[in-house]
Each structure stands twice: as C-alpha cells, then as structure tokens.
Amino acid sequence: MTATASTTAVIVGASSGLGRALATDLARRGHALLLVASDARDLQAIAADLELRFDTDVATLALDLAREPDPGARILASLVSMPPLSALLLAAGVSRDDDDFSLPAARIGELLSINLHAPHAIVHALLPTLRETRGTIVLFGSIAAIRGRGRNVVYASAKRALESLYESLRQAHAAGALHVQLYRLGFLATNLTYGMKLPMAASEPDAVARHIAARLGKGSFARYVPRRFALIAAIVRALPWFAFRRMRG
Ligand SMILES: NC(=O)c1ccc[n+]([C@@H]2O[C@H](COP(=O)([O-])OP(=O)(O)OC[C@H]3O[C@@H](n4cnc5c(N)ncnc54)[C@H](OP(=O)(O)O)[C@@H]3O)[C@@H](O)[C@H]2O)c1
C-alpha cells in the first residue's frame, strides 16, 4: 500500500532521458504519477522502482504517439481514479539523422505526430481539468528551432510550432488561471543526442529535471535551459543571411 499523494503529474515521454528524470524527481516530491511512453514493459519497470523508492502511486499508459489518433482521451481515461491533476509535462520527442529533406512522407508524418500532434491533442484534452486545478503545462522546445536550417528540418518546424501553442495558451488564460511553461532546451545527455558530436558539453537530465520540477505552479514563462543559449539564440538570429547560410553543424 502506497502513501496517498494529493496531486497527480502526467509525464509524456517518461521512459528515458528528461522524462524519466522528471518522473524520479516528482515521485521524490510526493506526486502521484501517470507515466506515458510507447513500451509497456519499460514503463512498468520504472513505475515499480519509483513506487518502491518513494512510496507514491505510479500508473502507466503505453501509447505509440506516432500512431495514436487521440492520445489525450486515453490519458484522461487513465486519470479517472487518480488524485487531481496538477501538472502535464510533455517530454516526448524524436529527431532523426535523415531529417535533412531526405525523409519519405510516412516518416515526416511520424515526426509531426510525436513532436507536434501529440502535444496539441493532449493539451486540448486535459485543458478543462488543468483549468479547474489551476495546474501547469510544461512544453519542451529546442534550440533547433531558433532558425531554420538544412538539418532537423521537420523536427525544428514542430518545435517552432510549439512556441505558437505556448503563446496561444498564454493569450487565452489570465495570469494565475493556468501556468504555462516553455523550456527551450540546449543539448541534454540523453538517447536523443547519444553518439552525436556536439559543439559543447550536454547538460545532465537530472539537473534539468530538478530545475523544472521546482518551478511547477510558479507562473508562466518561456526560457532557455541552459540560460546561455538565450545569448547564442540572439546572436544566431541577428546574423545576416549570407553569414547564417554558411553555418554548418
Ligand atoms: N536531448 C536533447 O539534446 C534535447 C534538446 C532539445 C530539446 N529536447 C527535447 O526534450 C524532450 C526530452 O527529450 P530527451 O532528450 O529526454 O529524449 P529521449 O531520451 O529520446 O526520450 C524521449 C521520450 O519520448 C518517448 N517517445 C518517443 N517516441 C514515442 C512514441 N512514438 N510514442 C510514445 N512515446 C514516445 C520515448 O519513449 P519510448 O521510445 O519508450 O516510447 C522517451 O520516453 C523532447 O521533447 C526533446 O525534443 C531534447
């Protein structure tokens, strides 16, 4: 029998990287959790470990976001017997090496489903509940979206579109009625960057997760993590076109 948590956090993309680190941190803080990713066995193993270590309720939902037409409805149904929803963290994401105008249409659709359709569909479905609890929606953007390049073409388009979703949510809700937080992430040491030659050291997901978990329920904002990427983004955006075109990597 686990202790009774007072609120639930949903983590989409909870089986690895940042999502898994968030699950650990939020379980430590006493939230009940609903963990979502594609592999049921991975999720069950993580849930069993967290329940044992932190004495909190952890439910799981296996969904393939590349193929699921209505992921929000499936998540809502899984929340029925859980404590009130206080936070939705949309940490699922996929990028591909061949996202350089070489992708066939089906792969383009998958990338858009996971990186853009799923966040929209899940936000739309959970919004009424999150309004009732004055909860927090956490979106994860990327430095890949700062300026369009010949790599990560579809991924960056999806991440740029999440900026619009962030603005729409903020514009539609009075301050305090809903907390909307967008993290524009730099490089993280996760599966997504595994084996990649990066121009700088990647951040540890545990440290980033601690930062994010500590700010749930504390207002709305969009920010770069690590913060130094705000300056890098400003410089990249200010580059004249002829100079930006020559950028590689
Ligand atoms: N790593 C970086 O350097 C970096 C930089 C900028 C932004 N970001 C963003 O940060 C967020 C977290 O990324 P991460 O680095 O932690 O990535 P990660 O370690 O690869 O984890 C991605 C998560 O998404 C889930 N996922 C992927 N495809 C799925 C599908 N079809 N259905 C359901 N779940 C699926 C994965 O679970 P399964 O595969 O088990 O389903 C996993 O839990 C993402 O939004 C990413 O775009 C990352």
Side-chain angles (χ1 to χ4, degrees):
M1 174 77 94
T2 53
T4 309
S6 55
T7 62
T8 300
V10 173
I11 304 168
V12 182
S15 62
S16 71
L18 181 59
R20 184 167 182 169
L22 285 164
T24 305
D25 204 281
L26 292 171
R28 184 180 292 118
R29 290 167 192 265
H31 290 268
L33 300 177
L34 173 62
L35 307 182
V36 182
S38 69
D39 190 295
R41 274 183 306 181
D42 280 358
L43 289 172
Q44 281 155 13
I46 294 167
D49 172 60
L50 294 178
E51 285 194 331
L52 202 65
R53 284 162 67 200
F54 302 113
D55 192 27
T56 191
D57 285 315
V58 185
T60 64
L61 175 64
L63 284 183
D64 181 357
L65 297 173
R67 285 173 184 79
E68 175 61 50
D70 193 355
R74 300 277 311 277
I75 291 173
L76 264 186
S78 298
L79 285 170
V80 164
S81 55
M82 301 196 69
L85 177 66
S86 63
L88 168 64
L89 300 105
L90 291 154
V94 169
S95 66
R96 294 177 58 110
D97 291 342
D98 55 355
D99 183 8
D100 56 1
F101 294 110
S102 316
L103 289 177
R107 298 284 95 80
I108 295 171
E110 280 174 15
L111 278 185
L112 290 174
S113 293
I114 298 164
N115 293 306
L116 184 59
H117 173 263
H120 263 288
I122 297 167
V123 163
H124 278 70
L126 270 57
L127 197 50
T129 314
L130 285 161
R131 280 186 189 129
E132 275 171 25
T133 60
R134 296 177 180 260
T136 307
I137 295 174
V138 186
L139 301 170
F140 294 100
S142 170
I143 51 165
I146 293 172
R147 211 165 166 184
R149 294 181 307 146
R151 296 181 47 203
N152 278 327
V153 174
V154 178
Y155 175 80
S157 299
K159 292 298 190 188
R160 181 85 72 90
L162 288 184
E163 304 255 344
S164 182
L165 172 58
Y166 164 77
E167 287 172 6
S168 294
L169 284 165
R170 294 251 357 229
Q171 204 277 336
H173 296 89
L178 183 75
H179 305 270
V180 189
Q181 305 178 350
L182 170 69
Y183 290 95
R184 299 169 176 136
L185 297 173
F187 303 111
L188 299 179
T190 65
N191 286 344
L192 209 81
T193 53
Y194 184 75
M196 281 168 64
K197 215 172 133 198
L198 301 175
M200 59 191 73
S203 305
E204 284 306 319
D206 288 350
V208 175
R210 268 197 304 281
H211 177 97
I212 294 165
R215 286 160 182 78
L216 292 180
K218 299 203 171 139
S220 295
F221 51 77
R223 67 176 56 142
Y224 286 91
V225 171
R227 294 277 186 131
R228 64 177 175 279
F229 277 100
L231 178 62
I232 295 171
I235 293 168
V236 170
R237 273 199 215 95
L239 282 176
W241 182 247
F242 72 87
F244 176 68
R245 274 193 78 170
R246 290 202 200 104
M247 276 181 74
R248 293 283 174 264

